[in-house]
Amino acid sequence: MQKGQKGDRFIFGRERDDNFGLNQAMNIRMKKRPLQHTAHQVLLCALSCGYLAGCSALELETITYPEALTHYQEGGGIENYRCALVPADEQYQALPDSQPIAVEIDEVLLVKIVGSIQALQQTEITETLAAYAHAGMSARLSTLRQLNQTEYNESDDRHVDLTFDAGGKTTIYRTFGKACGL
């Protein structure tokens, strides 16, 4: 694997160009307004990565826990489990002043791409792996270590590799989850 650094967070794995169009990332939030929808489609098509030189892979943007929770509750969900994942260094220590790039709430993984929150539904779960997918995107959370468990094992901190796939391109993030659980 190659290791790269972008901005103030580490991204592990391969960074590749991504042709996953902005139009797919934005479609989920649009209402049924045919003319406006068509105008958005034309604009998004013109701005999509396929038409811009040097467009790089879509990156996970900062998503706050309150905005992830609000999005989840708008869909009728009532939170029972949560885990906010922040970028981490090679030892899985949260980077200074880092904000979440993904939030797990129950069976949903919420991420923000191109300013739009995406809710990926859980497709598989084991003791150390959770897989999610939605609209041509998928994510795998591999829990490498759990530590600082509460007395009744309701929550813990964890070291997690987040593998995110969109449009055939894959990026792996090292993350730290603080107080994951109830």
Side-chain angles (χ1 to χ4, degrees):
M1 281 193 205
Q2 298 175 347
K3 178 171 72 171
Q5 185 173 358
K6 184 160 185 141
D8 64 343
R9 71 173 181 233
F10 290 91
I11 300 173
F12 296 87
R14 296 181 291 179
E15 283 191 57
R16 297 178 270 175
D17 287 341
D18 192 339
N19 292 324
F20 180 77
L22 295 176
N23 110 24
Q24 283 192 308
M26 301 296 285
N27 263 348
I28 294 168
R29 305 292 283 171
M30 291 187 183
K31 302 293 181 198
K32 295 179 181 178
R33 295 182 192 147
L35 187 55
Q36 186 179 12
H37 181 74
T38 303
H40 281 125
Q41 292 291 344
V42 171
L43 177 62
L44 291 171
C45 181
L47 296 175
S48 69
C49 289
Y51 293 94
L52 295 174
C55 186
S56 63
L58 292 177
E59 289 188 34
L60 299 181
E61 299 170 8
T62 296
I63 180 170
T64 66
Y65 178 74
E67 70 183 327
L69 182 59
T70 298
H71 185 84
Y72 180 73
Q73 289 173 338
E74 285 173 354
I78 299 172
E79 172 199 26
N80 291 308
Y81 170 86
R82 66 174 172 193
C83 187
L85 300 168
V86 299
D89 63 17
E90 291 180 14
Q91 288 76 41
Y92 291 92
Q93 300 301 310
L95 296 174
D97 301 320
S98 59
Q99 297 295 314
I101 57 170
V103 176
E104 278 183 284
I105 301 178
D106 298 331
E107 293 88 26
V108 178
L109 181 69
L110 297 128
V111 296
K112 189 187 287 186
I113 301 172
V114 192
S116 178
I117 297 175
Q118 305 297 314
L120 286 73
Q121 297 298 311
Q122 192 173 79
T123 59
E124 178 184 351
I125 189 164
T126 68
E127 184 87 15
T128 59
L129 172 78
Y132 299 87
H134 176 72
M137 296 176 279
S138 65
R140 294 173 59 90
L141 303 179
S142 300
T143 302
L144 304 173
R145 183 174 178 212
Q146 292 175 286
L147 52 149
N148 301 327
Q149 291 184 333
T150 59
E151 181 178 358
Y152 297 107
N153 293 326
E154 302 140 350
S155 67
D156 56 61
D157 296 340
R158 43 185 76 175
H159 300 164
V160 178
D161 281 342
L162 164 58
T163 304
F164 188 77
D165 297 306
K169 309 303 178 191
T170 301
T171 305
I172 300 173
Y173 300 87
R174 285 190 184 182
T175 65
F176 178 77
K178 176 122 177 105
C180 296
L182 304 176

